[in-house]
Structures are given as C-alpha cells and as structure tokens.
Amino acid sequence: MAVTFTTKAKKIRRSGSRSDVPPKARPQRDRGQGMPWRARLRRDRSLIIMTVPAVVLLLVFNYLPLFGLITAFEYYDPLVGVLHSDWAGLDQFRMLFHDPVFWEALRNTLWLSFVQLILFFPVPIALALMLNSVMNERLRNFVQSVVYLPHFFSWVLAITVFQQMLGGAGVLNHFLTRHDMGPWNIMTDPHTFSLLISSESVWKEAGWGIIVFLAALSAIDQSLYEAAAVDGARRWRRMWHITLPGMRGVIVLMLVLRLGNALSVGFEQFLIQRNAVGHDTADVLDTFSFYYGIATNNYSYGAAAGLFKSVISLLLIWGANKLAHTFGEDGLYRK
C-alpha cells in the first residue's frame, strides 16, 4: 500500500494534475474571472435591469442639471436660452461677494449648522445606544416605530406641531398665563431661533438617523461583551471600551457626510419660518438663492450663490475625509 501511494503521488507531481486534490485545498477563484464581458452582461442582466431606473433618476435629477451651472457665468435670459445668453464671466460672483445680505446669509448658515452639529448629531447615537440596551424586543420595536414616525411628516406639519406647543396660543403660553407669568412666543423669538430649529430637526429626523448606528451595533461581536462581563466590566465600561470603538468607523463616516452638507441646513424649514423671525435671522444660503435669485428673476445671481455653496461643501467634505484618514479611519473611502 505504501509503494502504491508513493507511486501515485509521484505521477501527480509529474503530470501537474489536480483531480485528486481535495476541494478545500484548491484556491478559490472569482466566478467572473476569465469570462468575456458579454457573458457577464448576460449573466447579470436581471441585476442590471433593476438598477436602470435608479441610474436614470440619478442622471436626470443630479447630473443633467449640472449643465445649468453655466448660467452663473451669464446674464441669463429665459427667453433667449442658455446657449444664446450674454456672457458675464465672473461678474455675478463679484456682485455676490460685495452683497452684505449674502454675507449675512452665509454667517447665519455657518452658525446654524454649527449649532445643529453640536445639538443634533449626538442624539441619534445616544438613541441607538439606548435602544440597543433594551432587552424586551416588543418594547424596542414600539419605541423604534414611535421615533421613526416624525420623519415621514412634512415640514409644514412638523412646524405646526411646534406652533401648537410653543406658539403664542400654544400649550406653553396657556400654562404661563394660568400661573400669572408673562407670555413667551418662542416661534417668533430671533434669539432662540437656532435652538428652535435644532429641536425641530431632532424631533423629526433623529429617529431616522439611528438606523445606520443600529446596523453598526448589530455588527459588533457579542462574544466581546461576554468576555468583558466575565472579567468584571460593568455596562458603562463595556460601552466605552467595546460599543463606541465598534461604532467609531460609522460615526466618522456620518460626521464626514454631515460636514459635507453643513451649508444645506434645510430649505423648507427656513422658508416656512422666515417671516415669523425675520430675514436677518432666518436667511440662509438656500433661501438667499431663492428670494434674491429665482423670486426676482435674477437666475444667474441665484445660480452663482448655489455654485458657491456647492464648491464650499465639496471642500468641506474633502477636508473632513482627509482628517479622517489622518486619524486612521476610512472616511468615505479607504486611502
């Protein structure tokens, strides 16, 4: 038997055949490796057909409108069209940078974005941690449904709810009046406007924002918690040394995306409340482009403001991603 096995092994080494090699010892190959691209298209045609509507929507609503950016460098006339309007060069940007209303809108945008970043960004993380600690599955599902629900409300309905609670005839002022205290209409107070819009954003969007963090929590190895509990680590220590490090990559990614949208603090939310607190407080770059561009038929001026906002947002997301790489995180992509 030993002679027969040795002779067979020598034949295999000489011939290079792998027919007798166990399947586990064979290296895994990519299914599509070596296939022509036509064969791969035929193989994946069902998946490609399913992605066609999403690709069409992306092209029509995200990439095709980029052609309109040329109006920021023209004296655009809708009756003449984009291709035949007079060229303006950088005149629109010169007027924009010399407009004190634009700088006021930019200052409001940066301040409100900073307040929302401090007050709003940590809330979904805290909610995800609390929901993850709830052991009763039915209670957890009920709480998730309750906090998800406001996301599906329009901003008109969300602001109406706050108006009924905090407005001049709202619940708060009824309470203050019954206890012989002066009324306080928070909905029209410019000094508390930044806190008001942050509270509205937390109530409406925080529940939806926890989805990503709950997914990150589900990916953490549960054996780490068991080993830490055996070593005597209590709940707070397990959260600090296991949960938060396990969520760090996702937190950094969401922070980068948040900084990329720092100048887009919300058009509908500010548009509805602008008249209540005044344009000096509620004007941001989005409302500036609408009121001083589209509403006045000065489309080139509004396009210049929108292009400025887009370029600054791109620089912010690029800088935040570079900073994430500096601290050893992936960010939007691996370095």
Side-chain angles (χ1 to χ4, degrees), residues 105-324:
L106 179 60
R107 183 173 61 252
N108 290 339
T109 303
L110 294 176
W111 168 247
L112 294 173
S113 177
F114 173 76
V115 173
Q116 289 192 7
L117 181 65
I118 299 299
L119 299 180
F120 175 76
F121 184 76
V123 174
I125 302 174
L127 285 176
L129 292 174
M130 287 189 293
L131 285 176
N132 189 63
S133 64
V134 177
M135 302 302 296
N136 191 326
E137 185 176 356
R138 295 183 62 181
L139 177 61
R140 183 168 62 246
N141 293 336
F142 173 75
V143 174
Q144 286 182 4
S145 301
V146 170
V147 297
Y148 286 170
L149 186 61
H151 169 77
F152 301 99
F153 295 164
S154 66
W155 272 114
V156 175
L157 180 57
I159 293 173
T160 301
V161 172
F162 273 78
Q163 179 68 34
Q164 296 298 320
M165 297 294 294
L166 306 176
V171 176
L172 176 63
N173 276 317
H174 279 294
F175 175 81
L176 294 176
T177 303
R178 288 182 180 180
H179 291 79
D180 298 328
M181 289 183 273
W184 183 24
N185 190 357
I186 300 177
M187 302 298 294
T188 59
D189 190 351
H191 301 290
T192 59
F193 182 68
S194 58
L195 298 177
L196 174 66
I197 62 163
S198 299
S199 302
E200 293 170 350
S201 299
V202 168
W203 180 77
K204 186 176 184 299
E205 301 294 345
W208 188 256
I210 69 176
I211 294 177
V212 177
F213 298 110
L214 286 176
L217 287 171
S218 64
I220 299 176
D221 190 0
Q222 297 300 314
S223 62
L224 297 176
Y225 292 102
E226 297 173 1
V230 171
D231 291 338
R234 296 185 179 273
R235 177 177 298 179
W236 289 104
R237 188 168 293 275
R238 293 198 299 267
M239 183 186 69
W240 183 259
H241 292 284
I242 299 176
T243 306
L244 291 180
M247 298 175 60
R248 186 174 60 185
V250 176
I251 293 175
V252 171
L253 173 61
M254 299 305 294
L255 181 60
V256 170
L257 295 176
R258 181 71 183 177
L259 290 176
N261 292 322
L263 300 185
S264 299
V265 289
F267 174 70
E268 297 90 349
Q269 184 182 11
F270 289 89
L271 183 67
I272 297 172
Q273 301 179 94
R274 181 176 183 267
N275 293 332
V277 296
H279 68 88
D280 295 341
T281 303
D283 256 345
V284 292
L285 290 180
D286 289 333
T287 57
F288 175 86
S289 300
F290 175 76
Y291 279 105
Y292 300 97
I294 298 176
T296 59
N297 296 326
N298 193 356
Y299 301 103
S300 297
Y301 196 63
L307 181 58
F308 172 82
K309 189 194 80 168
S310 300
V311 171
I312 298 301
S313 298
L314 181 62
L315 293 177
L316 285 174
I317 199 169
W318 176 81
N321 197 63
K322 296 291 288 185
L323 187 62

